[in-house]
Amino acid sequence: MTDLERWRLILGEPASRCTGGLKDQAARRDAALEWLYGRDPELAERGVRKGGSDDSVLQTVDWLDEVHSLFPKETIERLERDAVERYEITDVVTDPDVLQRIEPNPALLRAVLRTKHLMNPAVLAMARKIVEAVVRQLMEKLKTEVRTAFSGTRSRRPSIHRNSRNFDFRATIRANLQRYQPEERKLAIEHPKFVSRTRRHLEQWQVVLLVDQSGSMVSSVIHSAVTAACLWGLPGLKTHLIAFDTNVVDLTSDVTDPVELLMKVQLGGGTDIAKATAYGAGLVDNPRRAIVAIISDFYEGGNATHLVRTVKGLCEQGTHVLCLAALDEEANPDYDRALGQRLANAGAHVGAMTPGQLAEFVAEKLK
């Protein structure tokens, strides 16, 4: 593809007088992009794209076939994500023919959770497979981070146990410098060095995850479920998972099966953080060995004064309270900063953590 063709695809039909027309595969790419981005009224107003695609000409399943044959994997993922999240083309996740063709990914998982109430049983069974595939990917990634966080800190003492994770690069170089081969610019390593890890004495701690299940917090719900599953069963740790909107639902019994847990979550509704926090406070057995993590955008629909008072009470009794604006892999904070400041003044830690960072925080407290 030429540079002019690329610019034509980016800028749309109005650029043709400068870049020339499109033929063959480039024209098919343009039609696929037009089917999706022609829906954007802002682009249409700016004359970037024509707008007003007719869905009867190209159905979603045909469009997916086209993009999978015309674009590289990274572009396909972006197009599918925009179709689901930006333009809310719900048949991407409610049409069985479409579900068979689309690649499982986090954006599709979020769409499934938002639209599963629209699905008939047959489609729901197919959607569940998507949930299972994406959760499996997330679990594998987070398990590694959790294992690292809970494996103990490296010490300076040498170790006889040869493990790549405990490899001591500097000590190995020093011990083998006499074997440096200048003509080949190589260092022959005869005696690799390793360090030991301190063993942590774990006392019983509690982690209470309170997760806002409003529609805007869908990524946090997903990653909270996976995080709770990874933390579950660790020695010295008792994990609770609570979902809330205006109601509070204790999902702890489903923590070992995050797929089943996510299929039960009902996204949307109002937000009563104060009620959920009061419930979480009631679960705390030993205040000085407890972590209460509230994952929300903190746009409180309940009693904000009651919320601040409950958080202050938890902090004063020695409980670690985390008010997390996001709990996804990017940890993008988006929350009511005024309420966040009030909670910080009450003694809570207010900010954003990825699941891995939360695991590290919990591990440090369990030392």
Side-chain angles (χ1 to χ4, degrees):
M1 184 188 299
T2 67
D3 288 339
L4 284 177
E5 286 177 325
R6 289 190 179 92
W7 278 111
R8 164 61 184 79
L9 289 173
I10 293 169
L11 298 175
E13 177 64 30
S16 295
R17 60 179 179 274
C18 298
T19 62
L22 297 173
K23 297 180 180 179
D24 303 325
Q25 197 172 66
R28 290 171 59 200
R29 288 194 180 102
D30 185 57
L33 293 173
E34 184 65 41
W35 183 87
L36 181 62
Y37 295 109
R39 304 163 189 271
D40 195 322
E42 182 181 345
L43 293 180
E45 290 172 5
R46 289 161 49 194
V48 176
R49 291 200 167 273
K50 294 178 292 186
S53 287
D54 186 352
D55 282 0
S56 64
V57 176
L58 186 65
Q59 299 296 333
T60 304
V61 64
D62 301 318
W63 175 76
L64 280 171
D65 283 341
E66 279 288 88
V67 299
H68 276 264
S69 65
L70 294 170
F71 296 101
K73 182 179 179 180
E74 296 81 5
T75 306
I76 293 169
E77 291 175 354
R78 174 59 186 270
L79 292 171
E80 291 176 345
R81 184 168 68 249
D82 283 351
V84 170
E85 295 188 337
R86 186 172 176 180
Y87 300 108
E88 299 182 347
I89 303 173
T90 57
D91 56 343
V92 170
V93 289
T94 56
D95 186 321
D97 291 332
V98 176
L99 283 173
Q100 285 180 338
R101 288 166 169 77
I102 200 164
E103 187 73 21
N105 60 70
L108 184 59
L109 172 54
R110 291 192 291 270
V112 167
L113 296 184
R114 289 190 179 109
T115 60
K116 65 181 189 293
H117 63 284
L118 302 174
M119 301 177 185
N120 61 46
V123 175
L124 193 61
M126 295 179 65
R128 187 185 181 91
K129 294 180 180 179
I130 292 171
V131 176
E132 290 172 351
V134 180
V135 167
R136 185 167 56 249
Q137 296 167 7
L138 295 173
M139 287 283 289
E140 287 303 313
K141 177 183 177 182
L142 186 57
K143 275 183 178 178
T144 302
E145 296 179 7
V146 171
R147 280 196 300 266
T148 301
F150 282 82
S151 60
T153 55
R154 289 160 61 99
S155 74
R156 294 183 178 274
R157 293 181 300 170
S159 172
I160 61 174
H161 300 290
R162 300 191 171 197
N163 185 303
S164 61
R165 193 158 46 82
N166 299 334
F167 180 66
D168 191 333
F169 176 78
R170 293 181 181 276
T172 299
I173 295 296
R174 286 195 300 268
N176 294 275
L177 275 175
Q178 69 272 24
R179 296 178 182 81
Y180 180 65
Q181 302 168 4
E183 65 280 359
E184 298 183 17
R185 303 181 69 180
K186 292 182 178 179
L187 179 67
I189 296 177
E190 185 174 332
H191 303 293
K193 301 294 182 181
F194 300 85
V195 295
S196 63
R197 286 184 177 261
T198 58
R199 184 176 296 276
R200 293 174 174 173
H201 175 65
L202 300 180
E203 298 185 60
Q204 186 70 42
W205 274 71
Q206 276 181 290
V207 175
V208 181
L209 300 178
L210 303 171
V211 189
D212 185 343
Q213 63 175 353
S214 62
S216 61
M217 297 296 294
V218 61
S219 291
S220 293
V221 173
I222 294 167
H223 286 88
S224 297
V226 175
T227 301
C230 290
L231 295 177
W232 184 266
L234 287 172
L237 190 62
K238 183 180 181 181
T239 305
H240 306 263
L241 181 63
I242 317 300
F244 67 91
D245 42 33
T246 52
N247 297 307
V248 179
V249 182
D250 195 326
L251 298 172
T252 304
S253 61
D254 293 310
V255 162
T256 55
D257 187 353
V259 175
E260 182 65 28
L261 189 155
L262 289 172
M263 295 304 287
K264 289 182 177 179
V265 166
Q266 300 294 326
L267 296 171
T271 307
D272 194 334
I273 311 170
K275 181 191 292 187
T277 305
Y279 180 88
L283 296 174
V284 174
D285 296 325
N286 187 337
R288 296 190 177 276
R289 289 200 180 93
I291 299 169
V292 175
I294 309 167
I295 301 102
S296 176
D297 55 15
F298 296 98
Y299 290 102
E300 174 65 298
N303 191 320
T305 300
H306 185 196
L307 169 62
V308 174
R309 185 164 54 246
T310 303
V311 168
K312 184 177 181 180
L314 284 167
C315 294
E316 287 177 345
Q317 69 183 12
T319 300
H320 298 275
V321 180
L322 308 179
C323 296
L324 305 181
L327 195 61
D328 62 9
E329 69 279 6
E330 299 173 352
N332 295 317
D334 178 18
Y335 62 101
D336 184 332
R337 296 180 184 274
L339 182 55
Q341 185 61 59
R342 292 176 63 187
L343 294 169
N345 294 342
H349 171 93
V350 179
M353 288 184 182
T354 65
Q357 289 168 336
L358 177 61
E360 290 175 5
F361 182 90
V362 173
E364 286 301 313
K365 297 306 174 187
L366 264 65
K367 280 184 180 180

